[in-house]
Amino acid sequence: MTAARAIIHVDMDAFYAAIEQRDNPQWRGRPLVVGELGPRSVVSTASYEARPFGVRSAMPTLTAKRLCPEAIFVPVRMSRYQEVSAQVFEVFAEVTPQIEGLSLDEAFLDVTGSLRLFGGQVEAIGRFIKAQIRARTALNASVGMAHNKLLAKLASELSKPDGLLRITQDSVQSILDPLPVGRLWTIGKVAEAGLHRLGIRTVRDLREADARRLAQAMGNQAVHWQRLARGLDDRPVEAGEEKSVSAETTFETDLDTLDQALAWLARLAERVGERVRAHGLQGRTVTVKLRKPPFETHTRQVTLVEPSDVTAVILDAGRTLLRRWWQGETTPRLRLLGIGLSSFGELPQSSLFDNAAGRAQDHVADRINRKFGGGSLVRGAVLKARKPRDDESS
């Protein structure tokens, strides 16, 4: 018998509006609408404070203004939302490479292969994702967990806002049966109205309906709908190809010495190396990200002779890039530092032997850190790294 999958659906709560309230503290706790007032403008997102007034996405903003006269209307800042979305997806990539992004603020994750790293508990992965997103972005995510995509998405919807819910195989029908039939995936307003005419109003009604009568009235979709009513969904998580693995951190106090920067680079390179090996990847391009205060960002890249997954190789390349940048600055200071690996490809057979010592050391460290927690075994250079601010990412 095939083992059950572990699927997670993550949906950020009122994503655009939450970012605006985070970036503008004076708007927190007040009804806020992302979308400019105008005859052709629509609501992109409404904060939870605006929703009790009936304000919804895709509604004309003039209608939203009529429903909620006290609402604050702000323009869409897509580049800002994309920036924060990248931080969220970095968290996903630390858990699994099997990520199906649905939008900037929503994704499915197949974490079946990651369970052993979290003690076999999908709830531990869900809590990790929520905590890391909160720490790095100060935003809330709702996380649904189940053995398929249908139920994982339903779990996140039912637990909003700031939710964490798992639907187990034993609890499927007790959760599904009372729901309105329109809550099921692919059952739109027209189909829902047709089912209502047949006296089918809940998921239980649909599940228990006579299959032949249902098919005669509703067509070929009826079989599919009854599968959904039983909580059955075989769709895979359709992951895009992993393009890069990176780690970065923002410092509460700017780094002003090269020794501090090198120590932090070592810590970040260890995280990148561990994730690359966990995903079975080897990369050729090492990128270092450097941000000067207040918000001037630079990147430096180097291409390795051949793909590698060895932490020492990644770190050595990163050190070279960091030193060159540091020496070229008149008064070098760092607000943020990051390192990443990309351009993934096959690792030549010769390299397996050339880096045997480094690879063996890495695998020992990986096993110890998985068993006793990240950071249990680190390079000596890492010990000079001081504590970052709360939004550290890895």
Side-chain angles (χ1 to χ4, degrees):
M1 184 175 178
T2 305
R5 294 181 296 163
I7 309 298
I8 289 179
H9 179 259
V10 183
D11 195 2
M12 300 298 295
D13 294 339
F15 188 53
Y16 297 177
I19 291 173
E20 297 297 343
Q21 290 178 318
R22 181 197 68 177
D23 291 354
N24 301 276
Q26 71 273 19
W27 295 340
R28 293 175 189 171
R30 299 175 61 186
L32 182 141
V33 174
V34 178
E36 294 183 272
L37 277 172
R40 297 185 179 181
S41 298
V42 297
V43 175
S44 245
T45 311
S47 72
Y48 281 99
E49 294 86 356
R51 296 184 186 188
F53 295 89
V55 180
R56 297 288 182 269
S57 297
M59 170 185 290
T61 54
L62 293 180
T63 302
K65 178 67 173 177
R66 178 169 47 81
L67 292 172
C68 186
E70 302 300 317
I72 301 162
F73 289 80
V74 300
V76 174
R77 295 191 298 156
M78 189 55 65
S79 61
R80 180 58 167 156
Y81 310 147
Q82 290 171 336
E83 179 184 346
V84 180
S85 173
Q87 293 179 281
V88 172
F89 274 73
E90 283 176 3
V91 175
F92 300 160
E94 293 173 17
V95 173
T96 176
Q98 301 299 312
I99 304 165
E100 181 181 342
L102 304 178
S103 62
L104 291 181
D105 62 341
E106 184 181 5
F108 282 111
L109 286 67
D110 188 330
V111 299
T112 309
S114 306
L115 287 173
R116 64 183 180 85
L117 300 177
F118 289 82
Q121 299 296 317
V122 70
E123 290 94 337
I125 301 178
R127 286 191 293 270
F128 173 84
I129 290 170
K130 278 182 63 69
Q132 290 299 311
I133 289 174
R134 178 68 182 174
R136 301 177 198 186
T137 70
L139 301 175
N140 292 329
S142 289
V143 175
M145 300 155 285
H147 47 280
N148 63 42
K149 292 168 73 172
L150 167 73
L151 298 172
K153 182 173 174 60
L154 182 62
S156 69
E157 291 175 352
L158 292 175
S159 64
K160 273 185 168 293
D162 196 21
L164 181 73
L165 176 65
R166 179 188 177 194
I167 298 179
T168 66
Q169 293 188 356
D170 293 337
S171 64
V172 171
Q173 294 311 151
S174 64
I175 291 175
L176 279 180
D177 279 356
L179 295 176
V181 70
R183 290 298 297 267
L184 288 180
W185 173 62
T186 75
I187 297 183
K189 295 294 183 183
V190 174
E192 183 180 18
L195 291 169
H196 285 179
R197 286 193 293 270
L198 297 175
I200 297 173
R201 294 189 170 274
T202 67
V203 173
R204 179 175 181 174
D205 293 338
L206 177 60
R207 177 171 61 86
E208 295 180 344
D210 179 83
R212 181 176 298 180
R213 176 171 172 261
L214 186 62
Q216 287 174 344
M218 303 300 296
N220 295 333
Q221 282 278 48
V223 174
H224 171 64
W225 291 340
Q226 285 197 304
R227 280 181 52 83
L228 296 180
R230 297 184 180 98
L232 303 176
D233 181 13
D234 298 329
R235 291 176 298 156
V237 170
E238 298 178 351
E241 183 179 354
E242 184 87 40
K243 295 182 179 180
S244 66
V245 173
S246 62
E248 65 182 44
T249 188
T250 302
F251 305 102
E252 186 173 342
T253 304
D254 298 338
L255 298 187
D256 55 9
T257 73
L258 180 58
D259 281 347
Q260 289 175 328
L262 289 170
W264 268 107
L265 190 71
R267 177 171 178 168
L268 296 169
E270 286 191 336
R271 295 178 182 173
V272 170
E274 185 174 358
R275 283 176 50 203
V276 165
R277 291 185 293 275
H279 294 168
L281 301 170
Q282 300 88 27
R284 294 192 63 162
T285 302
V286 176
T287 302
V288 170
K289 180 177 177 181
L290 313 112
R291 179 171 297 159
K292 297 167 56 177
F295 205 81
E296 182 181 332
T297 304
H298 301 260
T299 58
R300 297 291 185 270
Q301 287 186 341
V302 65
T303 300
L304 305 175
V305 175
E306 56 191 21
S308 180
D309 62 355
V310 177
T311 296
V313 174
I314 300 168
L315 177 57
D316 284 347
R319 282 170 171 162
T320 299
L321 295 172
L322 173 59
R323 287 191 178 103
R324 287 176 184 169
W325 179 86
W326 197 275
Q327 292 164 2
E329 294 290 311
T330 304
T331 54
R333 299 180 72 88
L334 283 176
R335 177 67 168 160
L336 175 148
L337 178 63
I339 186 170
L341 187 67
S342 58
S343 302
F344 298 121
E346 295 291 331
L347 188 66
Q349 188 67 26
S350 60
S351 181
L352 292 172
F353 299 101
D354 293 343
N355 293 313
R359 183 165 288 101
Q361 178 182 342
D362 285 339
H363 284 304
V364 169
D366 292 348
R367 286 197 299 271
I368 291 175
N369 287 328
R370 280 197 298 267
K371 184 173 182 179
F372 297 105
S376 297
L377 184 63
V378 299
R379 285 169 169 74
V382 173
L383 300 179
K384 297 180 182 179
R386 68 174 183 231
K387 185 179 179 181
R389 61 186 294 177
D390 290 341
D391 63 346
E392 178 185 345
S393 61
S394 58

